[in-house]
Amino acid sequence: MVKKKVAKVLDLRYVVLAGILIILAGGLVLLPKYEKHEGIKPEQLLSNVISPERYISTDKLADILINQDPSYLLIDVRDEESYTKYSLPNAINIPLKKLLSEDFEAYLNQDQYNVVLYSNDNFYADQAWIICNRLDYKNLNVLKGGINKWYETIINPPKPTENMPAEAFELYTFRKAASMYFGVAYPEQFKAPVAKKVVPKKVITVKKKKKAPAEGGC
Amino acid sequence: MKNNQKNRHVYWNPYFGGFLFGILILLTFYITGRGIGASGAMKSSVVTIVDTVAPTHAENNAYYSKFISDEKSPMNTWLVFEALGVLIGAFISGGLTGRISWRVQHSPKITSKRRLVFALGGGILFGLGAQIARGCTSGAALSGMAVLSTGGFITMLAIFGSAFAFAYFFRKNWI
Amino acid sequence: MGPLIPNGIIPQDWDSIIAILIGLVFGFVLEASGFSSSRKLAGIFYGYDFAVLKVFFTAAVVALIGMYYMDYLGYVDITQMYVHPTYLWGAIIGGVIMGIGFVAGGFCPGTSLCAVAIGKVDAIVYVIGIIIGVFIFSELFFLFQPIYEGYFMGNITLADSLGVNPYWFIFIFTLIAILSFVISDIIRKRNKKIFY
Amino acid sequence: MKELEKTKRISIAATLTILIVLIAVLSFERPKHLYKVNSINTLEKIVSADYFVSLDDINNPNYVLIDVRNQFEYEKGNIENAINITTSEILSDNNTDILKEIEEKEKIALLYGARPNDVNGAFLMMTQLGYKNVKILTVNNSYLDNQLITKNVTIEKSVADIQAFIDESVKKASKGVKKKVVVKKPAKKVITVKKKKKAPAEGGC
């Protein structure tokens, strides 16, 4: 008799186990679907968006370009046509449309270079920055004011009037020198402009972050 | 030794074994991103043997050359280490339950010689089939099913389907 | 976090150590649930012991449900998993040959390794057979090449090939598994007992 | 088949798994805010859709004006019947309710700030969180004896043709110096990128 009861209990136990299995499998079906979470959390992205420390001023950028700082990479997010018309030296053109395309991913998603995104103003550059930041790309910055600001400050610096403080004059001379570096010639130069230092060809090799694919087999 | 001898034929509850096996497959996928396997180890050993015995032949044979790479010996693959682990694990489990002893397990009706002949034949067939289907029951079928791979399911159905179909011919060996 | 090693959370050189550990648990579980005895393995085809069916199906169901729960909860990214490639005729023909080998020999490579570990001579012969089988395949590779490489349908999953929602498929697969457990118990009760 | 009777272990294992699954599901609280639009669609949206609204067609009935500047700026001066949702509090609960309510009433959220660039953050956050109809008022706000003046502005208009300016300055300078000034254009920088070798997940038995 006892044997029978034990067998009875065991059957019940198996039924319970089978029930659990069905509930677990069924649970999967009933759980609400949701869009796979891509990129960093919205709260985190919002705090990154608000903080202005992604901006880089035109003076700082001019300084970087003149000293040929190797760790900077310029990316112009405007379309090809305005890129060919004028763009900063050694810049790469990634139009906003093709920002997330496969072959440009090597430039954006790497941690060797400080990337500087810029467009005419920093509207499109900001948009590109926010999307890349959502995908957690490292050390990207945006040129404050874009090419317009670059023109107003570096290429065609405003002459300080007499009652401006001394720094304004220093800033003006720095900017004038910078504009000469970038090709603007000034009439009151007495001697012929010294042969402009050729911007050395800088080869940027972007080392891809190796993500080993899960290979497997039998 | 008496107690050890007693539970020689007492195995785990299959559901418990299956459950642990399922968790193991989950763990393997979670850590390495790939399933488990077995016949890959045999393949690597064959490739190493042929490579050491006749390297030139191995070089220009289309199949061997796939697995021979100069900087890494074929034995240095994931599956070979895993097969090594299987041997050790089985030895431990066998030791705990006292099942370790040199013997040929065969149904009382047949002689051990016939059993060995069938084992050899079965092995050759299985080795051939495993290469064609790129995986065996644990490699292709089970690991494939864990990620719903169509190939895994087809292989599993083919293996068990044909096994059931041909079971009738080999019934004298087992029952 | 997804697969730890490919995502670089665990460095690559831990790979082989983890392989040995996984193999160790693999061997222990297989041997403990009786897969080292070929007669227990062959039981499924002759109805006197459905251990293979139970272990195989439970493992598949547990792995499936676990995998898709982890994917749902975001602990794992299932798209990075290695999906076994689908070579249609390769799988069918290879599967049939393996099926015959399974019934004739009584082992599959994983279980034969377990049996070798506990001293089964027929398992050692079986492993030698596998090695010869692989050798034959490689030598006559040019014969098998069309099947081996043909009909490649990519590393597709059932969700793409049958267009079925994976969660529904898992639910139905679990029901089939439980049904097969019940049927196998009924059959075993009616069959005569074999002691091995 | 004695082992079928030994079910002690399997019940322990079963209860353990249920516990783990329950803990996992309970501890997994769905984050409050979830992206509904992945990054590629967001990119397409901002590149293709025209989400700019100019000042003159502002009095469309189903526009809801939203000022993204901070509280102080809003008090100082804002466009009439605009509500104030500062960018940093856009994810706060009551702001989310307001935005959801706008969404339900099929109204169009029209964002504006001191300059269009400041609106970018709020605009992209809302598009990625799945709000459908969000637009930007392309307007610059400034104060003249603390009276708000809003002027229309076009986005990203290039201020001057810089290349022309440089060439013209060179011409002007060379007229003075007579000698032909050779200005070497900065050499094109060859940037080689190692193509991401798509390492196929090799494997197989």
Side-chain angles (χ1 to χ4, degrees), chain D residues 3-53:
Chain D
E3 80 270 2
L4 280 184
E5 276 69 40
K6 291 203 330 268
T7 58
K8 187 160 55 62
R9 284 200 191 109
I10 193 156
S11 348
I12 299 163
T15 33
L16 266 179
T17 349
I18 299 159
L19 272 175
I20 292 165
V21 169
L22 275 177
I23 292 165
V25 174
L26 291 177
S27 69
F28 169 76
E29 24 77 28
R30 178 71 41 69
K32 236 179 10 299
H33 297 283
L34 259 178
Y35 297 123
K36 294 204 177 37
V37 179
N38 66 27
S39 44
I40 296 166
N41 302 359
T42 331
L43 187 63
E44 260 143 44
K45 187 162 183 335
I46 56 174
V47 169
S48 53
D50 58 352
Y51 43 84
F52 297 121
V53 168

Side-chain angles (χ1 to χ4, degrees), chain A residues 14 17 214-218, chain B residues 13 34 36-39 139:
Chain A
Y14 280 128
L17 289 178
E215 97 292 337
C218 166
Chain B
N13 178 323
R34 50 156 297 157
I36 48 171
S39 56

Side-chain angles (χ1 to χ4, degrees), chain B:
Chain B
M1 195 42 201
K2 172 78 184 59
N3 164 3
N4 205 322
Q5 206 53 19
K6 182 170 69 56
N7 55 21
R8 229 166 107 80
H9 293 290
V10 174
Y11 300 109
W12 276 357
N13 178 323
Y15 296 119
F16 180 59
F19 171 73
L20 276 188
F21 202 4
I23 298 290
L24 173 74
I25 295 170
L26 262 183
L27 217 62
T28 326
F29 269 110
Y30 181 62
I31 294 175
T32 61
R34 50 156 297 157
I36 48 171
S39 56
M42 280 81 165
K43 173 189 67 187
S44 310
S45 42
V46 167
V47 169
T48 349
I49 295 164
V50 173
D51 195 19
T52 40
V53 165
T56 51
H57 169 62
E59 263 334 298
N60 44 42
N61 173 303
Y63 192 60
Y64 293 125
S65 50
K66 276 200 192 47
F67 308 105
I68 294 168
S69 64
D70 24 40
E71 91 279 352
K72 189 154 80 76
S73 96
M75 287 310 268
N76 185 2
T77 48
W78 196 87
L79 285 169
V80 172
F81 288 109
E82 196 227 6
L84 198 66
V86 168
L87 287 172
I88 303 166
F91 185 76
I92 297 168
S93 159
L96 288 180
T97 51
R99 283 195 273 264
I100 293 179
S101 66
W102 292 107
R103 62 193 187 291
V104 174
Q105 185 186 28
H106 58 86
S107 105
K109 288 206 202 47
I110 57 169
T111 66
S112 62
K113 203 167 71 57
R114 176 184 163 112
R115 164 68 188 135
L116 291 181
V117 163
F118 270 89
L120 191 68
I124 293 169
L125 280 177
F126 208 103
L128 201 64
Q131 295 316 306
I132 298 175
R134 291 171 194 266
C136 58
T137 40
S138 45
L142 211 48
S143 311
M145 281 206 286
V147 283
L148 285 182
S149 128
T150 327
F153 274 91
I154 296 173
T155 319
M156 190 268 290
L157 290 175
I159 294 174
F160 285 98
S162 61
F164 271 109
F166 290 95
Y168 176 76
F169 301 109
F170 300 98
R171 69 187 184 296
K172 271 202 293 304
N173 284 0
W174 302 109
I175 305 169

